[in-house]
Amino acid sequence: AQTELAISYRVAKRIGEAIALEKESLRLKRKNLPPGDPMMVESMNNLAACYEQSNRKAEAEALRRELVELKARLADKKPTQP
């Protein structure tokens, strides 16, 4: 529900409110979900999009970089097929 409201805020150009909701949503997901969980990845992408929309490029880039690193770590942990 929080993510949907944040998206609505973003569409309505209420970006400050959207960022606050996305940050809280991501904080809760980081606390309660394993790294790489699809819902956490979605929250990271949503927050990065909010940062980009508000011209906070460095913060958006940092989140995107974290996602790339996370995906690389998860790929390294996957067992290889014979």
Side-chain angles (χ1 to χ4, degrees):
Q2 215 172 15
T3 298
E4 288 81 11
L5 181 57
I7 291 169
S8 295
Y9 282 156
R10 198 168 80 211
V11 169
K13 307 292 187 223
R14 294 168 63 179
I15 198 67
E17 292 162 290
I19 288 172
L21 281 174
E22 290 293 0
K23 284 174 78 171
E24 177 63 9
S25 177
L26 179 56
R27 184 191 71 76
L28 291 171
K29 288 174 183 169
R30 285 182 193 242
K31 179 180 174 182
N32 296 299
L33 298 173
D37 183 274
M39 291 191 312
M40 187 178 71
V41 169
E42 178 185 21
S43 285
M44 292 173 79
N45 277 320
N46 289 345
L47 181 55
C50 286
Y51 284 148
E52 288 168 352
Q53 188 173 344
S54 65
N55 207 30
R56 292 165 67 173
K57 305 295 184 193
E59 290 160 293
E61 183 180 338
L63 269 175
R64 302 275 191 220
R65 193 172 295 124
E66 183 181 347
L67 277 166
V68 169
E69 291 168 3
L70 174 64
K71 289 178 182 179
R73 281 194 311 271
L74 292 173
D76 288 342
K77 289 183 181 180
K78 287 184 181 178
T80 56
Q81 298 291 329

